[in-house]
Amino acid sequence: MAIRRMRAGVKSRSDRRNQSGTAIVAALVVVTVVSVLSMAYLQLSMSKNREQRSSVDAKRAFYIAEAGLAEAYAGLVAGKSGNVGNGTIPARFANGAFWVESVDEGDGRRTLTSTGMCGTGRSALSVVVENVPEPVGALGVFGDQGLFVGEGVLIDGYDSRRGTYGSQHPVVVGGGGGGGGGLLGGVGGLVGGLAGSEEGPAESRVGCNADIVLPGGLAATHIDGDAQPGPGSSVLRGLGVTITGTTAPRTKSAELPVLDVPSLPLAGDIDHSTVRTPLVLSPQESSFGALRVRAGASAVIVGPAKLVFGSLQLDLNATLTIDATNGPVDLYVSDYLNMAAGSTYNSTSHDPTGVSLLIAASQSIDRNRDGIPEPPARIQSSGTFYGSVYAPAAALTLPSQLELFGAVAAKQLTIGNGAKLHFDRALCAPQNGDGALPQMLCWRLVELPDVPLVQMRLDPLSVMELNGITPTVSKDAHYDNGDDPLAGVVGVVLRVIQGSK
Amino acid sequence: MSATTASILARVVMCAAMLAGSVAAVASERADDRSSGRPVAERVQRILTDVSLDPGLAVEVAGQELLALADSALPAIFDAFCVVIESTAASETADGAPTNRTESTLLYVFEHTPAARLTPLLASPVTAESSVRARLAALRILATTASARDFRLICRLATTDPVDSSLERALETTLDALVGRDQAIFSVLERAYPTASVGVRRVFIRVLSRTHTRDSLRLLSRVLYREDELRPLLLVTIGRMSCDLPRPIGEDVLSNVRRFLIEADPLALPEVILAVGYLDDDESIPQLIALLRCPRRGLRANALWSLRRITGLGIAETPERWTTWYQSEREWWQHEWPSKLAGLRSASPDKAKVALMEIATRHLFRHALAKAVVELATHDDAGVATLACTTLAQLASRAAVPGLIDALDHDDAIVRMAAWNALRAITKKDLPPAAVAWSAAKLGS
């Protein structure tokens, strides 16, 4: 019994000895299992976190892409092309970046594709917007039923918002091409059009709903810009005629809106013949049966003014000056306009957007009873005129002595031999109450573009910072086609980014 | 029946009697004139006064009386016509039709005078130091009487130094009439073209442009290489004329025009670019795509216009996209078209439908595709015919117009509706769904 107990005691001691360390193993197993579980949980947690972050990045990228579309849209409204940043150096927005590509689809439609990036998130959206009707001034030099351009005529363009005509045309007749100005000069045109590129002067716009006839001759005729006839019509040009822009027909006819002559308080007739003292019409809104400035006399109309004349006549050597320095001047002629040869018609302000000569007259009537009916509008004055002339119901001939800065549109327009017309692209900008916003036709998600910054799935701001690039903030990243402010560095940056990839 | 015949006969006899009476009366007066020994000019004037004052005196009768006068009366008659032409110049109709009975009478006389007697008379204003009035009168007469053989005379009459615009207008009227009367004028005109003055050549172009025929288009394209000064006008005319002609335009015309695109003719490149667009010349597409890289914005814009017109695509001014599209289309034509053509011609409607669905997505040589597809627009299987009409609407080729008009008479209402929709889409005209209405409209196919 004792022996058995002894054996048992020995056995239990040896068992205990044998069992020492098993707890460690068990503990180790438990620890390992717990560690593995912890690691797995950590991994799961991190993965979840990454997923969440990725999801948040994707959402942010989406909203940044939306912001890009809004930015481009705002650019269009402001008369820009809709391009913002580019695929190599996007525009910075919040903690991400975007760029927008704007493509002219013709017929006044434009596709904006915005790519937004935030962290690893990427998103690309696209909208199609449609042009709004342009202001009448945007037609440039326009004849509804016909346009005849005489020999030796110069028609070019400038943008009064960018400075004077002289500063944009150091040489009067520039070389061809025009620096690619007028991005939207082709078919259609969008949102008030654009000024030409920064490199060259803005181009003119010449148009018609029928044929444009330029017979040419010994003296060179030069149109620096587009000359677009009506649908199914053509530009018929002779020798010595240069047109730097397109001559393709318009896709649809342009409507000349009927002139709505305002009803203003009647102030009687004025027949001014005093040579020594000029007649001064101070700022006002009035209607006159007639204004006649007799031979040798002069009249000054001071803005802001809105004046309606039944008839407006300038006799030989009479002078009519428009002073729009302090405000715009709108002159309506409802019945008869006659600016006789030898008279002078000019404006003191160099801002064509401030002066309008609006001719509602349409009837040819024999007014002097010589048996020959007088046309409703006749401009034979000389001078330098800044403003727009609009005669939707009358044929108009612009004489060579009158140099026009602005725009002119008439039912039938003839540009006299040797005349000079300088279209101001500032007239393309939507006027108050005249230009609606571009309409959005459709919205869609599109495939991500194949661009290194997009494909890398790294934080775009970090990548750019790593490469020493400071992206422009979105509001300053607008640029027009062919006028990329980042063009010089794009190639270098692209290589840097591709290298870092 | 017999009573009606008798009545008609009685009326005819009465008319003949009246005519005979008139002739007799006039003859008797003429006999009086002869016997009285009045000068010829006076007698001519008297007859003309009679015809203008007496509505009862038929133009033909007075004309016959004038014709009956001796040959020596012709110069007097011509002089009288000069006076009439001058007085009626203001009221002259656009087509040169006579405006009063006197003019009609005189024209009747010239129409019935043998050419051997008339031609020397009409040539007299050229040889002599004659007035514009006489030339105008001669041209007016030639508008009624001339054939292609008189072409040189017509040109000489119209050519003065300095150029007279009224003569150019008269030349235009004369040639307009001649072109409608004598087809031989085309070859004569082509031979005369290089030596004609600029003004006369301009008139030729205008006259030919109004004929709206393939022959005129061919002629204009042939004289292109002989023309420098008026080449832009010629190209514009060719382009505009082609709009009214069935597609496809003949390869001879296309190659004559395309040549100036390939050579990048500096004189008229903007017009050449637009002309190939108007002509729907698919073979010029590579040159047009190349022009999208041209530094001159105007040429790029013209090229884009032509590309869009030829293909019906709205791709922007991106040469890469155009190049990719063109290459894929060429490959399709090289590798896929034979099988698709076989599908179109197959007896199985299913195979035809598969081919049609594939063709609908193509834009290169779309007029040729339309020609191949249009036969199926009247297919017995309504499904095939409907799909063919839809495909033709997608191809937007005017070459399909006649076939689609035929499809308007299809037995199946859905086919008729599809054909009508296709016609409206292609022609942009909103006519009723009746074949008669579409056939009556001048669509230029």
Side-chain angles (χ1 to χ4, degrees):
Chain A
M1 196 60 181
I3 292 168
R4 203 179 294 140
R5 241 184 265 130
M6 265 176 63
R7 280 181 184 169
V10 170
K11 191 179 176 186
S12 71
R13 270 200 301 273
S14 68
D15 280 355
R16 272 200 296 274
R17 258 200 310 272
N18 287 342
Q19 285 174 355
S20 69
T22 54
I24 293 174
V25 172
L28 273 174
V29 168
V30 169
V31 166
T32 307
V33 168
V34 168
S35 300
V36 168
L37 285 172
S38 300
M39 286 295 288
Y41 181 74
L42 188 69
Q43 199 68 21
L44 190 71
S45 171
M46 282 173 68
S47 165
K48 205 77 185 164
N49 194 27
R50 265 201 305 273
E51 257 178 45
Q52 276 181 346
R53 209 171 56 201
S54 176
S55 170
V56 168
D57 280 351
K59 276 186 181 169
R60 283 179 178 161
F62 176 84
Y63 287 118
I64 287 174
E66 280 279 23
L69 287 180
E71 186 67 49
Y73 187 82
L76 290 176
V77 173
K80 295 180 184 296
S81 68
N83 289 294
V84 187
N86 62 40
T88 312
I89 308 180
R92 178 175 188 148
F93 184 81
N95 55 346
F98 70 80
W99 84 90
V100 185
E101 285 178 1
S102 173
V103 177
D104 184 3
E105 304 291 358
D107 288 340
R109 290 180 181 174
R110 186 159 281 268
T111 300
L112 303 174
T113 306
S114 173
T115 307
M117 297 175 289
C118 183
T120 57
R122 303 289 185 266
S123 185
L125 307 172
S126 175
V127 294
V128 178
V129 292
E130 192 172 38
N131 192 11
V132 291
E134 290 183 315
V136 174
L139 291 170
V141 178
F142 191 86
D144 183 17
Q145 294 178 5
L147 174 58
F148 183 91
V149 181
E151 179 186 343
V153 168
L154 167 69
I155 303 175
D156 58 8
Y158 77 114
D159 190 338
S160 60
R161 294 168 297 188
R162 285 165 43 193
T164 62
Y165 172 81
S167 68
Q168 293 168 50
H169 288 267
V171 179
V172 174
V173 181
L183 158 72
L184 304 171
V187 183
L190 183 82
V191 196
L194 287 174
S197 71
E198 297 298 326
E199 294 157 6
E203 293 182 326
S204 68
R205 278 186 189 178
V206 176
C208 186
N209 285 333
D211 286 342
I212 300 176
V213 182
L214 309 101
L218 291 176
T221 300
H222 186 89
I223 294 181
D224 188 17
D226 297 334
Q228 290 194 275
S233 301
S234 306
V235 171
L236 304 171
R237 70 180 176 108
L239 282 182
V241 177
T242 311
I243 300 167
T244 64
T246 182
T247 51
R250 302 168 72 90
T251 48
K252 55 184 176 185
S253 298
E255 297 250 335
L256 290 189
V258 177
L259 205 50
D260 190 15
V261 180
S263 296
L264 299 173
L266 198 61
D269 296 350
I270 301 176
D271 191 341
H272 181 65
S273 56
T274 313
V275 176
R276 289 184 181 173
T277 319
L279 167 75
V280 178
L281 293 173
S282 53
Q284 60 183 299
E285 290 195 358
S286 303
S287 173
F288 296 89
L291 168 62
R292 182 164 188 176
V293 185
R294 298 276 178 175
S298 60
V300 181
I301 296 174
V302 183
K306 184 181 279 189
L307 303 174
V308 176
F309 300 104
S311 71
L312 173 59
Q313 293 183 74
L314 297 185
D315 290 355
L316 177 73
N317 294 330
T319 303
L320 177 64
T321 305
I322 311 292
D323 182 359
T325 315
N326 297 322
V329 175
D330 293 336
L331 301 182
Y332 290 86
V333 180
S334 59
D335 188 30
Y336 179 49
L337 171 74
N338 183 21
M339 297 180 170
S343 64
T344 306
Y345 176 56
N346 53 31
S347 43
T348 54
S349 164
H350 285 192
D351 178 13
T353 58
V355 182
S356 303
L357 177 59
L358 306 156
I359 305 159
S362 60
Q363 301 290 320
S364 292
I365 298 168
D366 181 13
R367 293 166 201 278
N368 54 10
R369 296 191 178 84
D370 62 353
I372 303 165
E374 273 73 46
R378 189 154 52 185
I379 300 178
Q380 295 171 301
S381 304
S382 58
T384 305
F385 178 63
Y386 287 79
S388 47
V389 181
Y390 184 56
L396 210 60
T397 298
L398 291 185
S400 60
Q401 320 89 297
L402 185 72
E403 187 169 12
L404 178 77
F405 293 81
V408 56
K411 183 180 176 185
Q412 205 139 23
L413 184 61
T414 301
I415 315 290
N417 290 349
K420 289 189 175 71
L421 276 72
H422 315 291
F423 170 55
D424 180 8
R425 291 195 83 99
L427 292 165
C428 296
Q431 311 290 306
N432 286 341
D434 199 5
L437 293 173
Q439 290 177 338
M440 203 171 288
L441 298 182
C442 66
W443 177 98
R444 64 191 169 136
L445 285 165
V446 291
E447 289 284 333
L448 289 170
D450 186 16
V451 170
L453 255 181
V454 172
Q455 302 300 331
M456 278 190 297
R457 296 278 174 178
L458 297 172
D459 178 38
L461 298 179
S462 305
V463 171
M464 283 190 280
E465 192 181 352
L466 204 66
N467 288 285
I469 301 164
T470 309
T472 320
V473 291
S474 56
K475 70 180 177 63
D476 297 327
H478 291 267
Y479 69 93
D480 298 333
N481 284 355
D483 184 25
D484 186 351
L486 311 166
V489 293
V490 163
V492 179
V493 172
L494 192 63
R495 282 196 294 279
V496 171
I497 290 176
Q498 281 171 336
S500 70
K501 187 181 178 185
Chain B
M1 186 71 180
S2 59
T4 315
T5 314
S7 157
I8 292 169
L9 274 172
R11 284 183 189 178
V12 168
V13 169
M14 269 176 67
C15 288
M18 282 170 69
L19 192 64
S22 310
V23 170
V26 167
S28 113
E29 281 180 24
R30 206 182 73 211
D32 290 348
D33 287 344
R34 276 185 191 149
S35 61
S36 64
R38 285 182 195 169
V40 174
E42 219 172 279
R43 277 187 277 162
V44 167
Q45 201 52 53
R46 188 183 160 196
I47 294 168
L48 291 176
T49 308
D50 288 349
V51 81
S52 65
L53 296 177
D54 180 9
L57 179 58
V59 165
E60 292 78 12
V61 173
Q64 284 296 334
E65 190 188 350
L66 287 170
L67 282 168
L69 295 173
D71 283 359
S72 58
L74 259 184
I77 295 172
F78 182 72
D79 288 343
F81 189 66
C82 291
V83 174
V84 170
I85 281 291
E86 192 169 41
S87 62
T88 58
S91 59
E92 193 177 333
T93 54
D95 59 354
T99 52
N100 60 42
R101 285 165 51 78
T102 312
E103 189 183 351
S104 302
T105 307
L106 290 167
L107 281 174
Y108 178 87
V109 173
F110 295 123
E111 279 171 34
H112 291 82
T113 304
R117 284 167 59 198
L118 185 64
T119 306
L121 176 75
L122 298 180
S124 60
V126 179
T127 50
E129 285 295 318
S130 59
S131 63
V132 169
R133 189 180 70 170
R135 287 169 182 261
L136 283 172
L139 284 169
R140 177 73 188 85
I141 295 163
L142 284 164
T144 320
T145 62
S147 67
R149 282 176 305 181
D150 300 311
F151 181 77
R152 283 172 64 92
L153 173 62
I154 292 169
C155 289
R156 283 163 63 202
L157 282 167
T159 309
T160 52
D161 189 18
V163 175
D164 188 286
S165 58
S166 62
L167 281 174
E168 282 193 359
R169 280 199 299 277
L171 171 67
E172 203 164 330
T173 310
T174 307
L175 289 182
D176 271 335
L178 195 49
V179 162
R181 205 165 48 228
D182 191 351
Q183 289 295 305
I185 190 67
F186 288 104
S187 55
V188 175
L189 210 147
E190 188 173 358
R191 280 199 300 276
Y193 190 91
T195 52
S197 68
V198 174
V200 171
R201 295 207 304 273
R202 196 176 280 121
V203 170
F204 287 176
I205 294 170
R206 281 202 295 267
V207 168
L208 288 171
S209 73
R210 281 194 286 270
T211 60
H212 301 288
T213 62
R214 282 181 179 275
D215 287 341
S216 300
L217 190 69
R218 283 202 189 91
L219 200 160
L220 288 172
S221 76
R222 281 199 297 271
V223 298
L224 254 181
Y225 77 98
R226 298 183 201 164
E227 180 62 84
D228 284 332
E229 192 169 346
L230 299 180
R231 194 177 297 154
L233 176 66
L234 258 177
L235 286 160
V236 166
T237 308
I238 288 170
R240 281 160 71 148
M241 264 183 85
S242 71
C243 293
D244 299 326
L245 294 173
R247 285 331 188 233
I249 301 292
E251 179 54 33
D252 53 343
V253 175
L254 298 179
S255 57
N256 283 340
V257 176
R258 197 187 306 131
R259 169 186 159 177
F260 292 95
L261 183 68
I262 294 167
E263 292 171 2
D265 171 37
L267 209 61
L269 193 51
E271 285 82 6
V272 178
I273 295 170
L274 296 181
V276 295
Y278 276 120
L279 291 164
D280 291 317
D281 181 13
D282 297 86
E283 294 294 347
S284 65
I285 287 176
Q287 279 81 33
L288 292 173
I289 294 175
L291 276 163
L292 292 179
R293 293 190 168 87
C294 176
R296 289 170 63 186
R297 193 182 64 79
L299 296 184
R300 287 202 310 273
N302 281 12
L304 183 66
W305 182 89
S306 284
L307 279 169
R308 284 177 168 174
R309 187 185 157 92
I310 294 169
T311 64
L313 287 168
I315 300 176
E317 193 184 299
T318 44
E320 298 79 17
R321 281 180 68 188
W322 280 106
T323 307
T324 310
W325 165 81
Y326 186 65
Q327 282 168 353
S328 71
E329 291 273 339
R330 294 296 302 205
E331 280 169 20
W332 184 87
W333 272 91
Q334 207 170 350
H335 303 298
E336 300 290 327
W337 169 238
S339 64
K340 298 296 174 256
L341 184 62
L344 288 179
R345 290 174 179 170
S346 123
S348 157
D350 289 341
K351 284 185 182 174
K353 284 177 188 171
V354 169
L356 285 170
M357 286 165 75
E358 171 73 26
I359 288 168
T361 62
R362 299 291 133 191
H363 289 267
L364 185 65
F365 302 123
R366 59 198 175 103
H367 301 298
L369 288 174
K371 284 257 180 192
V373 169
V374 78
E375 293 167 15
L376 299 184
T378 48
H379 199 278
D380 292 337
D381 184 295
V384 172
T386 307
L387 194 56
C389 292
T390 315
T391 303
L392 291 169
Q394 290 276 329
L395 292 171
S397 165
R398 287 201 163 221
V401 168
L404 285 168
I405 292 174
D406 292 343
L408 288 174
D409 290 330
H410 200 279
D411 295 335
D412 192 284
I414 296 173
V415 176
R416 293 199 298 272
M417 179 61 76
W420 185 43
N421 287 338
L423 279 168
R424 288 192 298 171
I426 294 169
T427 62
K428 314 280 186 232
K429 286 186 187 296
D430 199 10
L431 297 175
V436 182
W438 286 92
S439 301
K442 288 182 178 175
L443 299 170
S445 59

